[in-house]
Amino acid sequence: MDVLVTGGAGFIGSHLVKQLLRADDVTKVTVLDAITYAGHIENLRDELHSPRMTFVKGTILDKELVDYYVQRCQAIVHLAAESHVDRSFFEAGTFVMTNVLGTQIVLDSAQRFGIERFVHVSTDEVYGPLPSGAATENDPLRPTVPYAASKAASDLIALSYHQTFGVPVCVTRSSNNYGPCQHAEKIIPRFVTNLLTGEPVTLHGQGEHIRNWLYVEDNCRALELVLREGVPGEIYNIGGGTDLTNRELTGLLLAECGADWDAVRHVPDRRSNDVRYAMDWSKLRALGWEPQRTLEEGLAETVRWYRDNPDRRPPVRRDPAAPTAEVAITAPVGA
Ligand SMILES: NC(=O)c1ccc[n+]([C@@H]2O[C@H](COP(=O)([O-])OP(=O)(O)OC[C@H]3O[C@@H](n4cnc5c(N)ncnc54)[C@H](O)[C@@H]3O)[C@@H](O)[C@H]2O)c1
């Protein structure tokens, strides 16, 4: 099986590429990645030497380029996306372009070249906040932020290509991933890299928001399972990590990095910060998947990786006006 992985130089994509290259029946992995600020070719440093690996720097918005590589593979795992919620507050257009239009371009090519397997990688955030209970795959989509709305739109486009054209699409929706190689804009690497260098971290509100944390390799095993055994047209929730408030997560990271609560600054909650996500993932469990890594093991491994790879802490722009070392993006908070 020749597999095209879009976004394969990003956080989850690069772990998936490593995993696919370990499978004997994967004859070739082609990564198509634009290497935006979030993509890192170093994530694939070892894999680039594999004769079964091809890396292409390019955008999924380039139809000719997409066609060229799609017609040379049998399967696609589509991860390329703008992935950071906070950025979507002031760059929503880029999210719509990449996540919605880009997905449609890959799907269109997949349809024309008769792709045999297509996994569209999405998120639990499309279900919106759930004060209680757990979302099943049939629940309505109620995204509250532009990132999640763009992912929800792309899910619907993907499923429509199955209904209308018979493209063998499976959609996966996973909870928050963590692990090595994640961009420092996301909460765990941001906190870890700050704490390891003695800088403070910022907690939104009282840190009461609840997220489910899944080790990235567990997610990648689920993605490969869906790639191989998923039923076209079906959606698979990938949950099963550990539910934590951000305050609880902060406590664990402080302990793991040898810091204490003096390192924590409280800042006002960000806009539209969904209080809780939760999913029912029994459908995936029925395919035989269970997460394997405990939170304790996964966090220890993550912190060890950032400690061992100081040069791999991605460059981040700090807001000079910010009183703390929280990562700023490109617009002032509250813009
Ligand atoms: N990280 C999570 O917790 C999480 C959870 C659920 C779902 N997801 C989804 O999984 C996928 C991967 O997430 P991630 O955390 O690895 O994101 P990431 O931001 O680390 O990686 C995204 C990759 O896509 C590439 N990319 C962006 N625009 C592109 C374009 N136009 N053409 C080609 N490549 C482009 C980037 O260069 C980067 O390498 C995304 O679709 C995201 O929505 C992520």
Side-chain angles (χ1 to χ4, degrees), residues 50-310:
S50 167
R52 292 188 292 142
M53 162 89 187
T54 300
F55 175 78
V56 183
K57 182 177 177 193
T59 172
I60 55 170
L61 294 166
D62 181 339
K63 291 183 196 177
E64 281 182 20
L65 185 72
V66 169
D67 278 355
Y68 184 87
Y69 288 101
V70 166
Q71 64 189 290
R72 286 165 174 73
C73 69
Q74 284 96 45
I76 298 175
V77 186
H78 174 48
L79 299 108
E82 290 292 336
S83 68
H84 190 43
V85 171
D86 292 25
R87 254 174 213 276
S88 77
F89 295 153
F90 53 87
E91 273 185 44
T94 312
F95 281 68
V96 172
M97 283 294 272
T98 299
N99 299 359
V100 186
L101 182 59
T103 297
Q104 184 271 328
I105 287 171
V106 179
L107 285 160
D108 202 53
S109 191
Q111 182 245 320
R112 281 184 284 109
F113 294 109
I115 286 300
E116 293 164 21
R117 310 287 300 173
F118 192 116
V119 179
H120 170 67
V121 178
S122 189
T123 166
D124 60 352
E125 298 190 34
V126 298
Y127 295 117
L130 259 84
S132 61
T136 72
E137 288 84 353
N138 297 324
D139 277 20
L141 305 185
R142 294 195 178 94
T144 59
V145 293
Y147 162 67
S150 70
K151 293 298 290 187
S154 69
D155 290 13
L156 297 179
I157 295 279
L159 291 166
S160 81
Y161 266 72
H162 171 69
Q163 283 292 329
T164 309
F165 304 113
V167 178
V169 172
C170 291
V171 173
T172 62
R173 294 178 179 148
S174 87
S175 55
N176 277 14
N177 284 219
Y178 71 98
C181 301
Q182 190 170 27
H183 192 282
E185 67 190 354
K186 305 284 171 42
I187 184 170
I188 288 183
R190 188 173 86 222
F191 275 32
V192 169
T193 53
N194 276 16
L195 293 171
L196 289 179
T197 50
E199 296 190 55
V201 296
T202 53
L203 196 55
H204 287 116
Q206 292 308 307
E208 69 274 29
H209 307 93
I210 298 172
R211 299 290 182 264
N212 182 270
W213 291 100
L214 183 65
Y215 194 67
V216 61
E217 290 176 2
D218 281 324
N219 184 28
C220 289
R221 283 190 305 102
L223 295 178
E224 187 175 345
L225 182 63
V226 173
L227 175 67
R228 293 176 183 279
E229 296 180 26
V231 177
E234 293 292 319
I235 301 164
Y236 295 90
N237 287 346
I238 309 175
T242 307
D243 286 337
L244 290 176
T245 64
N246 284 344
R247 191 173 176 79
E248 290 167 332
L249 175 67
T250 302
L252 293 174
L253 293 176
L254 289 171
E256 200 59 52
C257 296
D260 59 36
W261 283 95
D262 290 344
V264 180
R265 308 277 182 275
H266 288 274
V267 294
D269 200 2
R270 76 174 192 210
R271 70 185 76 187
S272 205
N273 200 353
D274 293 343
V275 103
R276 175 179 177 268
Y277 301 120
M279 283 184 299
D280 178 324
W281 50 280
S282 48
K283 189 167 164 183
L284 189 65
R285 192 200 295 264
L287 282 187
W289 178 87
E290 294 270 350
Q292 291 179 349
R293 202 71 61 100
T294 66
L295 183 77
E296 291 69 25
E297 292 166 346
L299 284 183
E301 187 137 336
T302 305
V303 171
R304 191 163 46 241
W305 189 84
Y306 283 99
R307 192 174 269 132
D308 292 347
N309 291 277

Side-chain angles (χ1 to χ4, degrees), residues 8-24:
F11 167 47
I12 300 173
S14 59
H15 284 275
L16 180 69
V17 167
K18 292 180 207 319
Q19 182 182 296
L20 290 175
L21 286 172
R22 288 196 289 270
D24 290 340

Side-chain angles (χ1 to χ4, degrees), residues 5-21 29-35 39-50 53-57 181 305 312:
V5 179
T6 70
F11 167 47
I12 300 173
S14 59
H15 284 275
L16 180 69
V17 167
K18 292 180 207 319
Q19 182 182 296
L20 290 175
L21 286 172
V29 175
T30 300
V31 168
L32 174 59
D33 196 300
I35 308 289
H40 295 276
I41 189 72
E42 308 82 42
N43 288 346
L44 299 171
R45 193 173 35 207
D46 297 336
E47 291 66 34
L48 288 172
H49 299 296
S50 167
M53 162 89 187
T54 300
F55 175 78
V56 183
K57 182 177 177 193
C181 301
W305 189 84
R312 297 294 316 283

